[in-house]
Amino acid sequence: MPLTLDLNRLGSRIVRQTVGNGGVRRFAASAITTNDDDGEGGGFWSGLKQFGGFLLSGVKWVASWVGFGLTTLLDWIVTTVQFVWNFNWNATDKELDQTVASAFNALGGSLGGTIGNSLGYLACGAIPAAAIFYFNEPMGVHVLKNVGEEALDELCSNVANLIRQVGNLLIRTAVISTYKNLRTLLRKPDSVVRRELVNGGKLSAEQVDKAVAARNKPWSFAIAFDDFIEGIPNEFLRNFTEELFEEFGEACIEAGYVVANSAESFIASQRMSNDGFFGADRTIEITLNRDADSPTP
């Protein structure tokens, strides 16, 4: 005996009949929103909104890639270690202040380049593409998408470089300021040292000048290491030790970047695979209007 279905006896149909209006579901036309504007130039502004949407869609990715990546953290660690290694601990306060000023001035160039690049994409990319969107919406969407993606890549690169420079400047300023304060507390000024040597009466004026000059001679871990290498009498051992430490340092930094990049690539691939399996997250809002006068049959 064939299977037959009586649609009128289905539970869903009975409930709809009980609700009324013949069981017809009505949605208000106002529940649907579009990007079309009735005013003059509405399409142009819609195009700019499209361009802004392309940029805002990558904000989360930009934040994770630029501000909090493992590679960025490793960059700061390497920069700090190299700065401390080559730092001249006998530099004068004026020389230290000049180092901070030079780093700050270099930051101005990066900031100007980032803003100029963004304004260039806006003036010569977003606005013309938005004008195309006004006359031909499909073409405008295509152009805006390409311009937005390119602008996002450029913005990420510039902002990443800017963040690194700001981080390096803050680290350098903190180290130099702390060192200057500690040196002021623990180290006697040259005038005091000179007066104590002269009052001792055991050194001549020339010897006092040499002692003060030796006290202010540039010194860093890098200089001390070079002096240690040069002090090895055997040439074979000297070359062996020098290459050993140099290659160890370079290999350690390269291995660190390999580890950081591999970890970031793995995390990114896991996110992409999850997005591909479950699909992109989307939010849909439907506003029902029971007072609508034009129901949809």
Side-chain angles (χ1 to χ4, degrees):
M1 179 178 179
L3 178 64
T4 58
L5 295 176
D6 189 351
L7 298 180
N8 293 326
R9 293 184 179 181
L10 293 177
S12 60
R13 294 300 178 92
I14 295 174
V15 172
R16 289 171 61 179
Q17 292 292 339
T18 304
V19 172
N21 295 327
V24 177
R25 290 167 293 183
R26 295 182 173 87
F27 294 91
S30 59
I32 303 175
T33 58
T34 62
N35 292 329
D36 297 332
D37 296 323
D38 296 333
E40 183 178 359
F44 177 80
W45 295 112
S46 297
L48 289 181
K49 291 179 181 179
Q50 289 278 351
F51 178 77
F54 293 136
L55 295 181
L56 293 178
S57 62
V59 168
K60 183 178 180 181
W61 173 73
V62 172
S64 61
W65 179 63
V66 175
F68 307 101
L70 296 177
T71 305
T72 302
L73 178 61
L74 184 59
D75 283 338
W76 288 345
I77 294 175
V78 171
T79 301
T80 303
V81 172
Q82 291 178 343
F83 173 73
V84 173
W85 179 257
N86 295 284
F87 181 74
N88 180 15
W89 299 93
N90 284 334
T92 63
D93 289 350
K94 183 178 180 181
E95 292 173 344
L96 296 177
D97 294 338
Q98 184 62 38
T99 301
V100 176
S102 299
F104 179 78
N105 293 334
L107 181 63
S110 298
L111 179 61
T114 301
I115 296 177
N117 183 270
S118 302
L119 293 177
Y121 269 98
L122 177 63
C124 301
I127 293 179
I132 297 175
F133 184 90
Y134 179 76
F135 296 102
N136 190 327
E137 184 171 337
M139 181 186 294
V141 170
H142 176 73
V143 174
L144 283 169
K145 182 176 182 297
N146 292 334
V147 173
E149 291 176 351
E150 186 67 23
L152 182 61
D153 291 339
E154 290 291 332
L155 183 63
C156 286
S157 177
N158 290 332
V159 171
N161 180 59
L162 190 63
I163 289 178
R164 292 190 185 97
Q165 281 194 269
V166 171
N168 294 337
L169 177 60
L170 292 177
I171 293 173
R172 180 172 300 184
T173 303
V175 171
I176 290 178
S177 178
T178 302
Y179 174 69
K180 286 171 58 179
N181 293 332
L182 291 176
R183 187 172 64 176
T184 301
L185 295 175
L186 301 177
R187 181 175 176 173
K188 298 178 181 179
D190 291 345
S191 58
V192 175
V193 174
R194 184 183 298 274
R195 184 171 61 253
E196 290 178 350
L197 292 176
V198 171
N199 293 337
K202 297 181 180 181
L203 297 177
S204 62
E206 183 179 356
Q207 291 174 330
V208 170
D209 293 337
K210 290 182 178 181
V212 173
R215 183 173 184 261
N216 294 325
K217 183 179 179 181
W219 189 94
S220 66
F221 292 108
I223 295 176
F225 178 76
D226 291 338
D227 293 339
F228 166 74
I229 294 297
E230 294 298 329
I232 298 177
N234 186 281
E235 183 177 358
F236 174 84
L237 291 178
R238 183 169 60 250
N239 294 334
F240 171 81
T241 305
E242 182 178 5
E243 291 299 323
L244 173 66
F245 282 96
E246 287 184 0
E247 292 299 326
F248 172 81
E250 294 178 1
C252 185
I253 294 175
E254 291 178 1
Y257 278 108
V258 170
V259 172
N261 290 328
S262 299
E264 289 182 343
S265 299
F266 179 80
I267 295 174
S269 63
Q270 291 295 313
R271 290 179 179 175
M272 292 179 64
S273 62
N274 291 335
D275 291 341
F277 181 79
F278 296 105
D281 294 336
R282 294 184 180 181
T283 301
I284 300 176
E285 295 183 1
I286 299 178
T287 303
L288 301 179
N289 185 357
R290 299 182 178 179
D291 298 330
D293 296 330
S294 57
T296 302

